[in-house]
Structures are given as C-alpha cells and as structure tokens.
Amino acid sequence: MIPDYKVNIIDIRKFHDTSVFKTDVRQVFNFIRCAEDKKALHRLVEQDDYYKNMEEDAFDVVSHFANAMELLEVKDYYGKEGKVDMCKAIKELIEDGREEGSRAEAERFNQLIILLSEQGRLDELVRAAKDRKYQERLFREELGSR
C-alpha cells in the first residue's frame, strides 16, 4: 500500500557545498551546520546579508533545528512584515547574557563582602578586590560551603 519513492537524505551538518541550493534553504542549512561553532556562526551571520532580513518561517526552522529557542522569544521584537533580523536578535541575546552574568558576579562579590566584613577580615576583602585569583579562592572556600 506504500508507494516505492526514491528519498534523498542529507546530513545537514556534514553537507558542505550549500551553493547548490538557490532558496533560503541554503542559509538555513548553513546556520544549522555552524550552530555548534560560535565563531563560524558569527562569521556566517555577519557576512551574509540574508540574516538581516530573514523570512520568518526560515527563522523559525533555524531556531528549532539549532536548538536556539531563545531566538524565538525575541523574534517578535526584531520581526517586521514577515521578516526577522537574525543579527540583531543574536546580538540582543548575547548582551542579555552578559548583563545577567555581570549581575550574578556582582551579587556573588557582594555576598563575599558581607561575609568578610562581618568576620572583620577587611585586609582580605581589600586583597580580594585587587587580586582576582585570591577572590576566586575565597569564593570557593567561603561561599562554596554555604
């Protein structure tokens, strides 16, 4: 009952010559291939203007197959008339990650300040502020046990 049709299967991550594709499939495949190499992905998105005005359905496919669901969260903000600016969306996610990391680092250092000041260890606090390696050691010793 099932017809015998020929089916071509492509391993996208190993398929290197995407120039044979003349539609946005090329950019979708390229993005998926580079998704696990952030330097290659950055070069790809910066060099190909298609990613600045990407079809929304291609953006969705890329986001799902590259397991980049965060991109879908910012899609509405960078989308217009069925197109999405992938470059801006990625840059926004990177900046959000940096800000979140900075806030977490500041909170961590604040905890260390409070702990050392409560214990009257002001010399160690000043040293930690000047010496990053010493600061990390204190994080492990003092905050790691909490």
Side-chain angles (χ1 to χ4, degrees):
M1 304 276 313
I2 300 173
D4 186 16
Y5 292 112
K6 180 179 178 184
V7 176
N8 295 315
I9 298 175
I10 300 172
D11 184 349
I12 296 170
R13 297 190 193 275
K14 293 180 182 175
F15 194 85
H16 296 288
D17 185 17
T18 57
S19 66
V20 297
F21 300 105
K22 304 300 178 202
T23 65
D24 56 4
V25 169
R26 176 186 317 156
Q27 283 82 10
V28 170
F29 283 3
N30 285 338
F31 191 96
I32 293 169
R33 276 185 329 106
C34 296
E36 294 179 11
D37 180 350
K38 63 183 173 185
K39 288 181 181 179
L41 185 61
H42 180 72
R43 272 193 314 274
L44 174 71
V45 172
E46 288 293 320
Q47 292 174 356
D48 189 340
D49 286 339
Y50 173 81
Y51 295 103
K52 291 183 175 93
N53 199 25
M54 194 172 192
E55 293 291 335
E56 186 175 357
D57 57 347
F59 182 90
D60 292 345
V61 169
V62 162
S63 299
H64 285 287
F65 278 95
N67 201 20
M69 303 315 274
E70 299 87 358
L71 289 172
L72 292 174
E73 293 173 12
V74 296
K75 176 176 78 170
D76 293 335
Y77 185 68
Y78 292 107
K80 59 184 177 224
E81 300 173 12
K83 307 271 186 179
V84 181
D85 188 336
M86 169 79 67
C87 297
K88 285 185 180 179
I90 289 174
K91 286 177 184 176
E92 168 105 357
L93 288 174
I94 291 169
E95 186 58 34
D96 288 351
R98 285 184 181 141
E99 288 174 10
E100 188 177 313
S102 293
R103 283 191 301 274
E105 186 66 21
E107 178 59 33
R108 188 174 173 218
F109 191 65
N110 288 342
Q111 290 175 349
L112 185 63
I113 290 170
I114 292 167
L115 179 71
L116 294 175
S117 63
E118 286 174 347
Q119 296 174 0
R121 298 163 59 188
L122 300 180
D123 290 343
E124 289 180 75
L125 178 59
V126 171
R127 182 176 171 196
K130 293 178 182 178
D131 183 345
R132 185 75 174 151
K133 287 182 181 180
Y134 185 68
Q135 184 185 113
E136 285 300 321
R137 192 176 103 208
L138 287 175
F139 283 145
R140 283 190 307 277
E141 291 172 3
E142 303 300 328
L143 299 179
S145 62
R146 291 184 154 211

